[in-house]
Amino acid sequence: MIEQLSQLSALTDLAVEARNMVVERTGGEIEGVALEEEQKDNAKVTRIQVMNEMASQRIGKAPGNYITIESESLRVADKPSHEYLSGILAEELNRLIDYNALKKSPNQEATILVIGLGNWNATPDALGPQVVHHILVTRHLYDSSPADAKQGMRPVCALAPGVLGLTGIETAEIIRGVVDRVHPDLIIAIDALAAKESSRLASTIQISDTGIYPGSGLGKRRIGITQQDMGVPVIAMGIPTVINSVNIVNDTINQLMNQPNIPPQLKTSLQQGNDYQQIIQNILQPFMGDLIVAPKGIDQLIRDTSKVIAGGINVALHPDIRAEDVSLYLQ
Amino acid sequence: MIEQLSQLSALTDLAVEARNMVVERTGGEIEGVALEEEQKDNAKVTRIQVMNEMASQRIGKAPGNYITIESESLRVADKPSHEYLSGILAEELNRLIDYNALKKSPNQEATILVIGLGNWNATPDALGPQVVHHILVTRHLYDSSPADAKQGMRPVCALAPGVLGLTGIETAEIIRGVVDRVHPDLIIAIDALAAKESSRLASTIQISDTGIYPGSGLGKRRIGITQQDMGVPVIAMGIPTVINSVNIVNDTINQLMNQPNIPPQLKTSLQQGNDYQQIIQNILQPFMGDLIVAPKGIDQLIRDTSKVIAGGINVALHPDIRAEDVSLYLQ
Amino acid sequence: MIEQLSQLSALTDLAVEARNMVVERTGGEIEGVALEEEQKDNAKVTRIQVMNEMASQRIGKAPGNYITIESESLRVADKPSHEYLSGILAEELNRLIDYNALKKSPNQEATILVIGLGNWNATPDALGPQVVHHILVTRHLYDSSPADAKQGMRPVCALAPGVLGLTGIETAEIIRGVVDRVHPDLIIAIDALAAKESSRLASTIQISDTGIYPGSGLGKRRIGITQQDMGVPVIAMGIPTVINSVNIVNDTINQLMNQPNIPPQLKTSLQQGNDYQQIIQNILQPFMGDLIVAPKGIDQLIRDTSKVIAGGINVALHPDIRAEDVSLYLQ
Amino acid sequence: MIEQLSQLSALTDLAVEARNMVVERTGGEIEGVALEEEQKDNAKVTRIQVMNEMASQRIGKAPGNYITIESESLRVADKPSHEYLSGILAEELNRLIDYNALKKSPNQEATILVIGLGNWNATPDALGPQVVHHILVTRHLYDSSPADAKQGMRPVCALAPGVLGLTGIETAEIIRGVVDRVHPDLIIAIDALAAKESSRLASTIQISDTGIYPGSGLGKRRIGITQQDMGVPVIAMGIPTVINSVNIVNDTINQLMNQPNIPPQLKTSLQQGNDYQQIIQNILQPFMGDLIVAPKGIDQLIRDTSKVIAGGINVALHPDIRAEDVSLYLQ
């Protein structure tokens, strides 16, 4: 199904960008796509709901909820801002999760499996594994903890399964195998994303309840990290760390059109070239298939933003663990 | 069963050391333990067979075959020596594996799953994950490869599952989950080992067909990485990277006894103190439970020796891949 | 001079341990060694002053001030405790530095050069380089900053020069070369230390105004990182990350003597063996010269404690930079 | 002077690309720029000599020799090819160095200082530091080596000084300070380069005898790593690991013009837009100033190609050290 979606979806992993592109093209709201924006101090939260299959086809994103937290301060190594953003992330994450519905019995909190997708050896792709590194893992301690220590603590486990090229195994297969042994009640999967606009790199967090398909590899993925394939709900979460190289050219040409000193013929032909996007894509595909476009400080940005995500997840999943006790449970 | 084995086994992961300790104590060969030694250029190969349950109890190692390759040159960053040792490793590995017996059909080579046990964030424990990093992974390419390219190539996949403290999941559970999806015909599990004598650190490779129990963690391991628990044969492989701190004291006291200028009373009492080993162990346990004793250049030694093991596995599993083509299949 | 100091100094880099050893042996205070202890919440501060050459010879530490901050919580990954310890470190550091006396002119704050000694490729030796990584470097921005931004900010630069084995250059030579170009008014040198007692590993910070000699290497160090050789005052700072393997045996034997069930002859001979320490040292030297004894979680401990030290230095050197603005100056 | 050079030089660090751009524009050879090409098995060597100041101004590269080794196989992780390329690199390096002229006395071989420029924390910029990691450092052993062991071995030292943003010190200042202490007879400086064409990424090595200016930083570099500022000859060496984002747009537009299905008006206006390059550059500068464009597998490429360069340097500088003995001198 994903494969049949609009070409536009290939340009970005962010639902908010996909929606904006369609709106810009068509000049109006999209039927079946609800939008809600909330401006917070220093952060903007956008909640998009793709309500049906037709809307999904229009914007190239699976039906479900997509929450975007945007803040320039995610990019700046400023601890208080990052803790603030972790707090917002925890709140938004908990909007999407009904823990009580997940519980198998009144005495047993829901077990959560956090998955860090991506390749720890490729910097811009290492977001998921680095988040997992900072996750407060408790499942192995949970059963042996005294009842009052368990209060408001949930059994959490975590895995960074690697990528197909490193393991020779479809990532979703590994996860499904682990799910069959661990029987989690919820999966949270983190992955590095691709954005369309460079201004969104390392400044946007997307959370969705639609699941995720790990990096295509050979393009013949039989199973996804989705509720359908995993048998339990899946929350996907990510931060854009690269942009599709096609978008750089597009953006430049768009900016070119807005320049006062641009030769008028060039402007006209660019505006007329309705399908020049497709042309560009065809040209670039073989040429830049193995190039990435990333922020200069990407190594540090991955280290910093992975802590923001892990912090948000830790706070969301263990509501009654006081901040000062968190370290007691860390390996 | 492992738990009931002799206390001696706690002092070393190497069968050759466990056997030597018993022989030194009892002064004779052990019934049910066969020993074969072969001196090669620059390397000594020792093959020990623990033939039955009684012998297993005596030396504290599960019944099966244990091959040790010892060479000082493993410790020296010398490429030609390391390639030579990879060659010996490949040979000895292939002594333990009957690939034809493993094959499910004449047209399908056996699928091998390589597991890198240990914690990639703790240097002396990172051997397994680093070996996996250098393994020639082919399973995802195998089916789509042309028939003649498949000749003498086997479908290999690899996983570094992490440790209980990082994942919250018993390592053997993760592996069993993956086994149930991937259906390998053989598992090769690599782990960093503990030795008794410091001279063996980074100079000995042990290969066995008995399987392995990953680092005890909470001590209530329900399943092991063994044929019994995994349903397929398991080869375990490792290099000692640390020594038990008890052994340092033991070794020093042993050396003390051989000094000419040692006070005679001290010597006598040390020799009489039949159970001083137990005393020392009791004392050290709480005191040094979280200390490791490792070679100074351990970071570099892990990097180097992981390539020796990976090289040996790659050559053993893909016999007809020419050395100069290996890189074509590497990620 | 250092070479002529008591053999005891070889067993520990900590002045507090060296002093305690002498006091234990002689049963009384040492002339010329002043001791001041302050118990704070969750941390104990010990200030030792070695007042003259004779006292220096007795305890094997150069004349000067040694401040030790001891806290079990340094070892625990607990952010609030670590920030608290950074605060104490900043206070104690500022006891040793008279910034006004260092200033070359009233309008120019003292320039500080932070040096991270040690080998970034060898985990327990990587403390210095990792501290440098977290130092707030401002010297290159200082001159171009507006006057009011400079208020309470000092020009700080930092270097991790590597070790002799990696560079082929005496570390002190590299630093002296940089000093001759940069003309700092003060050097702060950080290094991983060796302790005698394992309980001090990663739980003690030592600050001194005596300078430091980087790891001996070939033993023919011509120059040290001292005021004499650098031409400017040098503060040395470190955390013990390893213990001398001799000490493990010593500690065990000491503990042995306190056991109720120890054979009386052994006890007697151990107590009589006045010079068995020397014997042990002679035995172990060739045998364990290339072994290190470190805490199990050393990789993580180095990461965590380097931030405590860097945090303390950053706060001490830039008193008016508000915590929330620190990130604005970080690379 | 560099600052006055043609704008074109900003687009690439490779003299061969700079020369080609001028030739393409002007349609003929450039006076004062000599070109020599040699096709070897699997590698093409281009030697460019910029003979005078006027030629230097034309192509935007300082007067001197520039040797380029181009090979697709540099990009492929194939050990034999990489050793072959190291050999070619050693040969070409030795064309530029007259060791005998460098010697201060007949009995003392020239001392060489290898400098690894760049930031070890930023993947595409880490080439220099990683080369230094693999350099065979001998200076500290040289004097104590027996005379016959010294035969054909040279005293080599190495330093990775970091970048201005990490140290607060101009990189060239650090190096000059070290030069003043160590008195090398030659400097070899390695740095990651920027190319114009993506096909050259990780497939080209440039060696020149012109020195190098480390990453501009604040743009007010007072001194360079040049013979003039260092007082000894400087060989610069590098591999392109990123491309200037301006070039991506240029390349795409150039490819666009060669498409059959491109709208004729667009083609015309692009060809007419003589100064659209400048327009694009103006637009992109603020927009993509902090973006990098790098190959997908950049982490692995840096690891692999740094070994090719270090291998070439090691062989060139120590001609009589047999390959199998190299490891004996390694730390």
Side-chain angles (χ1 to χ4, degrees):
Chain A
M1 176 178 346
I2 290 284
E3 283 74 21
Q4 301 158 8
L5 295 176
S6 148
Q7 277 284 341
L8 285 172
S9 69
L11 295 172
T12 178
D13 288 330
L14 296 175
V16 69
E17 286 192 337
R19 180 229 162 237
N20 289 352
M21 275 192 279
V22 174
V23 168
E24 272 166 34
R25 289 212 154 193
T26 60
E29 283 304 317
I30 309 156
E31 213 185 297
V33 175
L35 176 80
E36 182 188 314
E37 296 185 342
E38 184 181 348
Q39 185 64 48
K40 307 211 174 196
D41 287 356
N42 208 14
K44 182 179 163 193
V45 178
T46 306
R47 301 182 194 93
I48 288 177
Q49 193 186 358
V50 179
M51 286 181 277
N52 52 47
E53 196 52 47
M54 188 172 299
S56 163
Q57 302 259 354
R58 297 283 316 271
I59 74 164
K61 298 292 161 204
N65 293 285
Y66 298 85
I67 299 173
T68 310
I69 302 166
E70 293 169 62
S71 173
E72 283 294 317
S73 63
L74 185 60
R75 222 189 263 234
V76 183
D78 178 55
K79 218 183 277 184
S81 300
H82 282 190
E83 285 172 2
Y84 171 73
L85 291 173
S86 286
I88 295 181
L89 173 58
E91 256 176 59
E92 297 299 325
L93 182 54
N94 281 342
R95 272 175 192 266
L96 292 184
I97 308 177
D98 179 354
Y99 295 100
N100 284 327
L102 295 172
K103 284 171 72 166
K104 283 182 200 115
S105 84
N107 298 324
Q108 173 67 33
E109 288 292 337
T111 294
I112 287 107
L113 171 61
V114 179
I115 296 290
L117 297 168
N119 182 348
W120 44 75
N121 291 315
T123 305
D125 200 27
L127 181 76
Q130 290 203 17
V131 167
V132 157
H133 180 68
H134 297 294
I135 286 295
L136 180 50
V137 164
T138 53
R139 178 177 169 270
H140 56 311
L141 309 171
Y142 189 79
D143 289 340
S144 57
S145 295
D148 59 336
K150 276 189 209 177
Q151 278 290 83
M153 174 178 162
R154 289 194 184 89
V156 172
C157 48
L159 192 73
V163 294
L164 179 64
L166 295 176
T167 62
I169 312 170
E170 290 279 345
T171 304
E173 291 279 1
I174 296 174
I175 299 169
R176 180 63 209 239
V178 172
V179 165
D180 287 347
R181 302 295 296 187
V182 169
H183 304 296
D185 303 296
L186 174 73
I187 294 172
I188 299 178
I190 294 97
D191 202 1
L193 305 178
K196 187 182 153 285
E197 288 170 40
S198 61
S199 63
R200 289 190 189 271
L201 290 175
S203 71
T204 299
I205 303 169
Q206 175 173 279
I207 319 167
S208 82
D209 58 5
T210 58
I212 193 170
Y213 284 81
S216 62
L218 300 187
K220 48 161 191 176
R221 340 171 263 218
R222 290 150 303 173
I223 69 172
I225 307 172
T226 58
Q227 177 150 17
Q228 187 185 326
D229 287 333
M230 293 295 144
V232 296
V234 178
I235 301 285
M237 209 182 290
I239 289 177
T241 61
V242 295
I243 53 178
N244 189 319
S245 45
V246 174
N247 292 317
I248 285 209
V249 180
N250 277 349
D251 275 7
T252 310
I253 293 182
N254 287 339
Q255 297 230 1
L256 260 179
M257 291 200 284
N258 298 325
Q259 292 294 306
N261 58 343
I262 189 174
Q265 318 95 291
L266 181 56
K267 203 166 176 174
T268 312
S269 66
L270 286 171
Q271 281 164 335
Q272 286 176 348
N274 283 326
D275 44 11
Y276 78 93
Q277 273 215 3
Q278 191 53 49
I279 296 172
I280 289 172
Q281 202 155 358
N282 290 344
I283 294 171
L284 287 178
Q285 220 60 337
F287 170 64
M288 302 208 288
D290 62 345
L291 287 185
I292 51 160
V293 182
K296 235 175 205 165
I298 182 69
D299 298 70
Q300 189 62 45
L301 286 170
I302 294 284
R303 276 194 288 273
D304 289 346
T305 57
S306 67
K307 288 181 197 164
V308 173
I309 291 192
I313 293 176
N314 287 340
V315 169
L317 299 185
H318 306 294
D320 295 357
I321 287 188
R322 292 170 303 161
E324 63 266 37
D325 291 342
V326 159
S327 61
L328 301 175
Y329 301 89
L330 284 175
Q331 175 76 352
Chain B
M1 176 179 341
I2 290 285
E3 282 74 21
Q4 300 158 11
L5 294 175
S6 150
Q7 277 284 339
L8 285 172
S9 69
L11 295 173
T12 177
D13 288 330
L14 296 175
V16 69
E17 286 192 337
R19 180 229 163 239
N20 289 353
M21 276 191 280
V22 174
V23 168
E24 272 167 33
R25 291 211 152 194
T26 60
E29 283 305 317
I30 309 156
E31 214 186 295
V33 175
L35 177 79
E36 182 189 314
E37 296 186 343
E38 183 181 349
Q39 185 63 49
K40 308 211 173 197
D41 286 357
N42 208 13
K44 182 179 163 193
V45 178
T46 306
R47 300 183 193 93
I48 288 176
Q49 192 186 358
V50 179
M51 285 180 278
N52 52 46
E53 197 51 50
M54 188 172 301
S56 163
Q57 300 259 353
R58 299 282 317 271
I59 73 163
K61 298 292 160 204
N65 293 286
Y66 298 85
I67 300 173
T68 310
I69 302 166
E70 293 170 62
S71 173
E72 284 294 317
S73 62
L74 185 59
R75 221 189 265 234
V76 183
D78 178 53
K79 219 182 276 183
S81 301
H82 282 189
E83 286 172 2
Y84 170 74
L85 291 172
S86 286
I88 295 181
L89 173 59
E91 257 176 57
E92 297 298 326
L93 183 54
N94 281 342
R95 272 173 191 268
L96 292 184
I97 307 178
D98 179 354
Y99 295 101
N100 284 327
L102 295 173
K103 284 170 72 165
K104 283 181 198 116
S105 84
N107 298 323
Q108 172 68 32
E109 288 291 338
T111 294
I112 288 108
L113 171 61
V114 179
I115 297 289
L117 297 168
N119 182 348
W120 44 76
N121 291 316
T123 305
D125 200 27
L127 181 76
Q130 289 203 18
V131 167
V132 157
H133 180 67
H134 298 294
I135 286 295
L136 180 49
V137 163
T138 53
R139 177 178 170 269
H140 57 311
L141 308 172
Y142 190 77
D143 289 339
S144 57
S145 294
D148 59 336
K150 276 189 205 174
Q151 278 291 83
M153 176 176 161
R154 288 195 185 88
V156 172
C157 50
L159 192 72
V163 294
L164 179 64
L166 295 177
T167 62
I169 311 170
E170 290 278 345
T171 305
E173 290 280 1
I174 295 174
I175 299 169
R176 180 64 209 240
V178 172
V179 165
D180 288 346
R181 302 295 295 188
V182 169
H183 305 296
D185 302 295
L186 174 73
I187 293 172
I188 299 178
I190 294 98
D191 202 2
L193 305 178
K196 187 182 153 288
E197 288 170 40
S198 61
S199 63
R200 289 190 189 270
L201 290 175
S203 71
T204 300
I205 303 169
Q206 175 173 278
I207 318 168
S208 83
D209 57 7
T210 58
I212 193 168
Y213 283 81
S216 61
L218 300 186
K220 46 161 190 175
R221 341 170 259 218
R222 290 149 302 172
I223 68 170
I225 307 172
T226 58
Q227 177 151 17
Q228 187 184 325
D229 287 332
M230 293 296 143
V232 296
V234 178
I235 301 284
M237 207 181 292
I239 289 177
T241 62
V242 294
I243 54 179
N244 189 317
S245 45
V246 174
N247 292 318
I248 285 211
V249 181
N250 277 349
D251 274 7
T252 310
I253 293 183
N254 286 340
Q255 297 230 1
L256 259 179
M257 290 200 286
N258 297 325
Q259 292 295 305
N261 57 345
I262 190 173
Q265 319 96 291
L266 181 55
K267 204 166 176 174
T268 312
S269 67
L270 286 171
Q271 281 164 335
Q272 286 175 348
N274 284 327
D275 43 12
Y276 78 93
Q277 273 215 5
Q278 190 53 51
I279 296 173
I280 289 171
Q281 201 156 359
N282 289 345
I283 293 171
L284 287 178
Q285 220 59 340
F287 171 62
M288 301 208 288
D290 61 343
L291 288 186
I292 52 160
V293 183
K296 235 176 206 163
I298 182 69
D299 298 70
Q300 189 63 46
L301 285 170
I302 295 284
R303 277 194 288 272
D304 290 345
T305 57
S306 66
K307 288 180 197 165
V308 174
I309 291 192
I313 294 176
N314 288 340
V315 168
L317 299 186
H318 306 294
D320 295 356
I321 287 187
R322 291 171 304 161
E324 62 264 39
D325 291 343
V326 159
S327 60
L328 301 176
Y329 301 89
L330 285 174
Q331 177 75 356
Chain C
M1 178 178 342
I2 290 287
E3 282 74 20
Q4 300 158 9
L5 296 174
S6 150
Q7 278 284 339
L8 285 171
S9 70
L11 295 172
T12 177
D13 289 328
L14 296 176
V16 69
E17 287 191 337
R19 180 225 162 243
N20 289 352
M21 274 191 280
V22 174
V23 168
E24 273 166 32
R25 289 210 152 194
T26 61
E29 281 307 315
I30 309 157
E31 214 186 296
V33 175
L35 177 79
E36 184 190 313
E37 296 186 340
E38 184 182 347
Q39 184 63 50
K40 307 210 174 198
D41 286 359
N42 209 15
K44 181 179 163 193
V45 177
T46 307
R47 300 182 194 95
I48 288 176
Q49 191 186 358
V50 179
M51 285 181 276
N52 51 47
E53 196 51 48
M54 188 172 300
S56 163
Q57 301 260 352
R58 298 281 318 271
I59 73 163
K61 296 292 161 204
N65 293 286
Y66 299 84
I67 300 172
T68 310
I69 303 165
E70 293 169 62
S71 173
E72 284 294 318
S73 63
L74 184 59
R75 222 188 264 232
V76 183
D78 177 53
K79 220 183 276 185
S81 301
H82 282 190
E83 286 172 1
Y84 170 73
L85 291 173
S86 286
I88 294 181
L89 173 58
E91 256 176 58
E92 298 298 326
L93 182 55
N94 282 341
R95 271 174 191 267
L96 292 183
I97 307 178
D98 180 353
Y99 295 101
N100 284 327
L102 294 173
K103 283 171 72 165
K104 283 183 199 116
S105 85
N107 298 323
Q108 171 69 31
E109 290 291 337
T111 295
I112 287 107
L113 171 60
V114 179
I115 297 289
L117 297 168
N119 182 347
W120 45 77
N121 291 316
T123 305
D125 201 26
L127 181 76
Q130 290 203 16
V131 168
V132 157
H133 180 67
H134 297 295
I135 287 295
L136 179 49
V137 164
T138 53
R139 178 178 169 270
H140 58 310
L141 308 171
Y142 190 77
D143 290 339
S144 58
S145 294
D148 59 335
K150 276 188 206 175
Q151 278 291 81
M153 172 177 164
R154 288 195 186 88
V156 173
C157 50
L159 192 73
V163 294
L164 179 63
L166 295 177
T167 62
I169 312 171
E170 290 279 344
T171 304
E173 291 280 2
I174 296 174
I175 298 170
R176 180 63 208 240
V178 172
V179 165
D180 288 346
R181 302 294 298 187
V182 169
H183 305 297
D185 303 295
L186 175 73
I187 293 172
I188 299 178
I190 294 97
D191 202 3
L193 305 177
K196 189 182 152 287
E197 287 170 41
S198 62
S199 63
R200 290 191 190 271
L201 291 175
S203 71
T204 298
I205 303 169
Q206 176 174 277
I207 318 168
S208 83
D209 55 8
T210 58
I212 194 170
Y213 284 81
S216 61
L218 300 187
K220 47 160 190 176
R221 341 170 261 221
R222 291 150 301 171
I223 69 170
I225 307 173
T226 58
Q227 177 151 18
Q228 188 185 324
D229 287 333
M230 293 295 144
V232 296
V234 178
I235 302 285
M237 209 182 290
I239 289 176
T241 61
V242 294
I243 54 179
N244 189 316
S245 45
V246 174
N247 292 317
I248 286 210
V249 181
N250 277 349
D251 275 7
T252 311
I253 293 184
N254 287 338
Q255 298 230 1
L256 259 179
M257 291 199 285
N258 298 323
Q259 292 295 307
N261 57 344
I262 190 172
Q265 320 97 289
L266 181 55
K267 203 166 176 175
T268 311
S269 67
L270 285 171
Q271 279 163 337
Q272 285 175 347
N274 283 325
D275 43 14
Y276 78 92
Q277 272 215 4
Q278 190 54 51
I279 296 173
I280 289 172
Q281 200 155 0
N282 290 343
I283 293 172
L284 287 178
Q285 221 60 336
F287 171 63
M288 301 207 289
D290 62 342
L291 286 186
I292 52 161
V293 182
K296 236 176 205 162
I298 181 68
D299 298 70
Q300 188 63 43
L301 286 171
I302 295 283
R303 276 194 288 272
D304 289 345
T305 59
S306 67
K307 287 181 197 164
V308 174
I309 291 192
I313 293 176
N314 288 340
V315 169
L317 299 185
H318 306 294
D320 295 358
I321 287 187
R322 292 171 303 161
E324 62 265 39
D325 291 343
V326 159
S327 60
L328 302 176
Y329 301 89
L330 284 175
Q331 175 75 354
Chain D
M1 180 177 340
I2 290 285
E3 282 74 21
Q4 300 158 10
L5 295 174
S6 147
Q7 278 283 341
L8 284 171
S9 70
L11 295 172
T12 177
D13 289 328
L14 297 176
V16 68
E17 287 191 337
R19 180 227 162 240
N20 290 353
M21 275 191 279
V22 175
V23 168
E24 273 166 33
R25 289 209 154 195
T26 61
E29 282 305 316
I30 308 158
E31 213 186 296
V33 175
L35 177 79
E36 182 190 315
E37 297 186 341
E38 185 181 347
Q39 184 63 49
K40 307 209 174 200
D41 286 358
N42 208 13
K44 181 180 164 192
V45 178
T46 307
R47 301 182 194 94
I48 288 176
Q49 192 185 358
V50 179
M51 287 182 275
N52 52 47
E53 196 51 48
M54 188 172 299
S56 164
Q57 301 260 351
R58 298 282 318 272
I59 74 164
K61 297 292 162 203
N65 293 285
Y66 298 84
I67 299 173
T68 310
I69 302 165
E70 293 169 62
S71 173
E72 283 294 318
S73 62
L74 184 59
R75 222 188 264 235
V76 183
D78 177 54
K79 220 183 276 186
S81 301
H82 281 191
E83 286 172 1
Y84 170 73
L85 291 173
S86 285
I88 294 181
L89 173 58
E91 256 175 59
E92 297 298 325
L93 182 55
N94 282 342
R95 271 174 192 268
L96 291 184
I97 308 178
D98 180 352
Y99 295 101
N100 285 326
L102 294 173
K103 283 170 73 165
K104 283 182 198 115
S105 85
N107 298 323
Q108 173 67 35
E109 290 291 339
T111 295
I112 286 106
L113 171 60
V114 179
I115 297 289
L117 297 168
N119 182 347
W120 45 75
N121 292 316
T123 305
D125 201 27
L127 181 75
Q130 290 203 17
V131 167
V132 157
H133 181 66
H134 298 295
I135 286 295
L136 180 49
V137 163
T138 53
R139 177 177 169 271
H140 57 312
L141 308 171
Y142 190 78
D143 290 338
S144 57
S145 294
D148 59 334
K150 275 189 207 176
Q151 279 291 83
M153 173 177 162
R154 288 196 185 88
V156 173
C157 50
L159 192 73
V163 293
L164 180 63
L166 295 176
T167 62
I169 312 170
E170 290 279 344
T171 304
E173 290 280 1
I174 296 174
I175 298 169
R176 180 64 209 240
V178 173
V179 165
D180 288 347
R181 302 295 297 187
V182 169
H183 305 295
D185 303 296
L186 175 73
I187 293 171
I188 299 178
I190 294 98
D191 202 1
L193 305 178
K196 188 182 152 287
E197 287 171 41
S198 62
S199 64
R200 288 190 190 270
L201 290 175
S203 71
T204 299
I205 303 170
Q206 176 172 276
I207 319 169
S208 83
D209 56 8
T210 58
I212 193 169
Y213 284 81
S216 60
L218 301 187
K220 46 160 189 176
R221 340 169 262 218
R222 290 150 303 169
I223 69 171
I225 307 171
T226 57
Q227 178 151 15
Q228 187 185 324
D229 287 333
M230 293 295 143
V232 296
V234 178
I235 302 285
M237 209 182 288
I239 289 177
T241 61
V242 294
I243 53 178
N244 189 315
S245 44
V246 174
N247 293 317
I248 285 210
V249 180
N250 277 349
D251 275 8
T252 311
I253 293 184
N254 286 339
Q255 298 229 1
L256 259 178
M257 291 200 284
N258 297 323
Q259 293 295 307
N261 58 343
I262 188 172
Q265 319 96 289
L266 180 55
K267 204 165 177 175
T268 311
S269 67
L270 285 171
Q271 280 163 334
Q272 286 176 347
N274 283 325
D275 43 13
Y276 78 93
Q277 273 214 4
Q278 191 53 50
I279 296 173
I280 289 172
Q281 200 154 359
N282 291 344
I283 292 171
L284 287 178
Q285 220 60 335
F287 171 61
M288 301 207 288
D290 62 342
L291 287 186
I292 52 161
V293 183
K296 234 177 206 165
I298 182 69
D299 298 71
Q300 189 62 44
L301 285 170
I302 295 282
R303 276 194 288 273
D304 290 345
T305 58
S306 67
K307 287 181 196 163
V308 173
I309 291 192
I313 293 176
N314 287 341
V315 169
L317 299 185
H318 306 294
D320 295 358
I321 287 187
R322 291 171 304 162
E324 61 266 38
D325 291 343
V326 159
S327 60
L328 301 177
Y329 301 88
L330 285 175
Q331 175 75 356

